[in-house]
Amino acid sequence: MPALRMPQARVLAWGLMPTPARIHVAHALHEVFGEGGRVPDIWDRDLGEDAHLAQALLGLCLRRWGRLQAWVKPQLKDPDRGVPLGTRVVLAMGLTQLAWLPGVSDHAAVNESVELAANRDLGFLPHKGLVNALLRRAAKDRATLAAELEALPAALDRSPAAERALRAALAPHQAEAEIEALWSRLQQVPRPDFRLLKGEAPAGLRPEADLPGCLCLEEGAPFPRPWLESAGGMVQDRSSQALLAYAWDRPVPRILDACAAPGGKTTTLALRHPGAAITALEVHPRRAARLRQSLLQRGIEAQVIQADAAEWLEGSEAAFDLILLDAPCSGSGTLQKHPEWPWLKHEDLPRLTGLQRRLLGAAADRLAPGGLLIYAVCSWLPEEGDSHRAWLEQARPDLRPAEVWPAALGPAEGAVGEATARFRPHPLRWAGEGFQGFAVRRAGS
Ligand SMILES: C[S@@+](CC[C@H](N)C(=O)[O-])C[C@H]1O[C@@H](n2cnc3c(N)ncnc32)[C@H](O)[C@@H]1O
């Protein structure tokens, strides 16, 4: 665990106020566990240096939530009585600091949690005494607390949605030892990958031997913000980079990126196929605006159209030589980067799979003779990928699998010699995000 610079607790006339970092974390935990909502991307924007503490604290609370709650339960007078969310949040935060953040003093971990417990929105005032007593006791032996928490089964931290995602990731074999190994990998804080766009990479970024253009952050190196802001490079997960390293040497003068924001893949497409006319669709106005801005900043030419891709494609006569459909999805493959994913409401899956199917059918109709269509989702769930592939195979006999990736990136049963038309890196042999996809081509000149 990196040493953390500790925020100063602000002592006001009426006592100790929790730092903004802790208040932000408590808000985020309420959003996730109360509403099933995501932690907003910019949740730690105004925290300055305390953002490190906030990120570490939130990440640990989300990743160890089940064990933290299981540890608390037997300590209660009436363990079967429901505990208000405010108490659970505050205790999880206090215990996490005591167990896993050695740079936080006992005093800060306990007293700020007690103050949070008294907060009307974030805590539960009647449990202020309980929080105080429990944390004070735990603070007496932090090493034992950590050992007791670590000794609880890791499976407690998995929601049913996470369990399903893991099993889908390892299907069809799903040996229990593999499930635990994958879960343990997904609990590590991920290191971002980058793609070089121009010039030289800054110090601290190491080229990835097997994936030209991919750079990884070396241990302890600072996050290369100035380089990203100067458009020298962009953050792009290695799975996205490998997906876009498809082998295809036919000319592709007309490219469609059907679901384009924030534009990482549009950028890569433009760099791979200089001179191609690129159309980039995005349904959400704000994301479309951000897409336009990023492309402009990177000097990428593309026609950005803010539209529902299904409607736009169904009403279009245009034909494309290369279509990328990086479809909206559950994001089950991103749960390492988004530790709140297991706890989100996942009730819109049928709507998403319906949309994916509609987008795929409409995109297939716009594929020019000889053209290539790549469908991808950052999800392991079969209904978001493999089922669509099987459907397309039946519904569109004019399309044929296109073996555009090295066989090692696909499932064993999908390989044709050294290549595969199915992109599905094995999660235990590939350190990138969980992705699945497939490529088809239309016969013709
Ligand atoms: C997986 S993300 C795409 C990521 C992007 N390809 C990249 O690499 O930067 C899916 C995008 O599709 C957009 N989207 C969702 N439904 C859409 C629709 N019906 N038409 C067009 N875009 C849609 C989402 O807003 C989101 O920005």
Side-chain angles (χ1 to χ4, degrees), residues 47 224 245 254 259 264 365:
L47 291 180
R254 299 159 297 178
C259 293
D365 286 342

Side-chain angles (χ1 to χ4, degrees), residues 258-265 281-284 287 307-309 326-328 355 359:
C259 293
K265 295 194 187 65
L281 306 178
E282 169 57 48
V283 72
H284 292 296
R287 290 175 67 80
D308 177 320
D326 187 21
L355 174 61
L359 286 166

Side-chain angles (χ1 to χ4, degrees), residues 1-37:
M1 182 76 53
L4 292 164
R5 193 187 284 263
M6 283 310 103
Q8 294 299 307
R10 288 180 294 148
V11 182
L12 299 182
W14 57 88
L16 194 69
M17 283 285 289
T19 55
R22 290 177 173 88
I23 290 177
H24 273 51
V25 172
H27 270 296
L29 291 173
H30 274 273
E31 179 61 29
V32 173
F33 294 104
E35 310 297 327

Side-chain angles (χ1 to χ4, degrees), residues 109-333:
V110 176
N111 290 14
E112 294 209 21
S113 303
V114 173
E115 288 308 315
L116 264 181
N119 182 296
R120 214 181 5 189
D121 300 324
L122 301 173
F124 182 64
L125 185 58
H127 282 173
K128 188 176 169 184
L130 168 81
V131 168
N132 187 28
L134 233 154
L135 293 182
R136 248 171 235 298
R137 213 182 322 137
K140 285 196 179 127
D141 188 350
R142 293 172 69 160
T144 300
L145 170 69
E148 285 175 5
L149 283 162
E150 298 288 356
L152 290 167
L156 288 170
D157 297 326
R158 307 204 281 260
S159 66
E163 197 68 46
R164 229 189 118 221
L166 287 180
R167 287 180 190 278
L170 293 165
H173 303 302
Q174 312 168 2
E176 290 309 312
E178 290 208 327
I179 301 251
E180 295 308 326
L182 177 56
W183 181 247
S184 155
R185 169 169 95 69
L186 297 174
Q187 296 314 293
Q188 310 301 316
V189 176
R191 279 221 232 136
D193 298 316
F194 302 88
R195 172 137 201 121
L196 184 69
L197 296 179
K198 62 175 188 229
E200 294 209 351
L205 294 186
R206 178 171 40 82
E208 183 64 61
D210 307 338
L211 206 49
C214 182
L215 302 165
C216 31
L217 196 61
E218 284 174 342
E219 186 87 48
F223 190 78
R225 203 171 299 285
W227 176 67
L228 294 173
E229 281 167 4
S230 72
M234 63 181 176
V235 175
Q236 191 173 51
D237 186 79
R238 68 186 59 206
S239 296
S240 292
Q241 297 193 41
L243 179 87
L244 291 189
Y246 49 82
W248 191 252
D249 51 16
R250 281 169 168 255
V252 287
R254 299 159 297 178
I255 298 180
L256 175 71
D257 187 354
C259 293
K265 295 194 187 65
T266 319
T267 303
T268 310
L269 288 170
L271 294 176
R272 266 208 70 172
H273 305 285
I278 301 185
T279 305
L281 306 178
E282 169 57 48
V283 72
H284 292 296
R286 258 197 292 153
R287 290 175 67 80
R290 193 174 146 208
L291 169 65
R292 266 192 205 100
Q293 198 194 356
S294 309
L295 296 178
L296 192 69
Q297 193 200 12
R298 294 173 188 155
I300 301 293
E301 273 188 42
Q303 187 191 13
V304 174
I305 301 175
Q306 190 244 307
D308 177 320
E311 277 175 21
W312 190 89
L313 285 162
E314 285 161 0
S316 169
E317 298 281 301
F320 296 93
D321 310 291
L322 172 59
I323 299 179
L324 173 66
L325 175 51
D326 187 21
C329 69
S330 69
S332 71

Side-chain angles (χ1 to χ4, degrees), residues 372-404:
L372 177 71
L373 166 63
I374 294 178
Y375 172 91
V377 280
C378 51
S379 171
W380 284 303
L381 303 182
E383 58 268 50
E384 297 193 85
D386 227 23
S387 310
H388 296 320
R389 185 182 57 78
W391 167 78
L392 197 69
E393 210 172 277
Q394 289 284 315
R396 305 292 161 96
D398 51 325
L399 300 175
R400 287 271 168 266
E403 286 81 21
V404 294

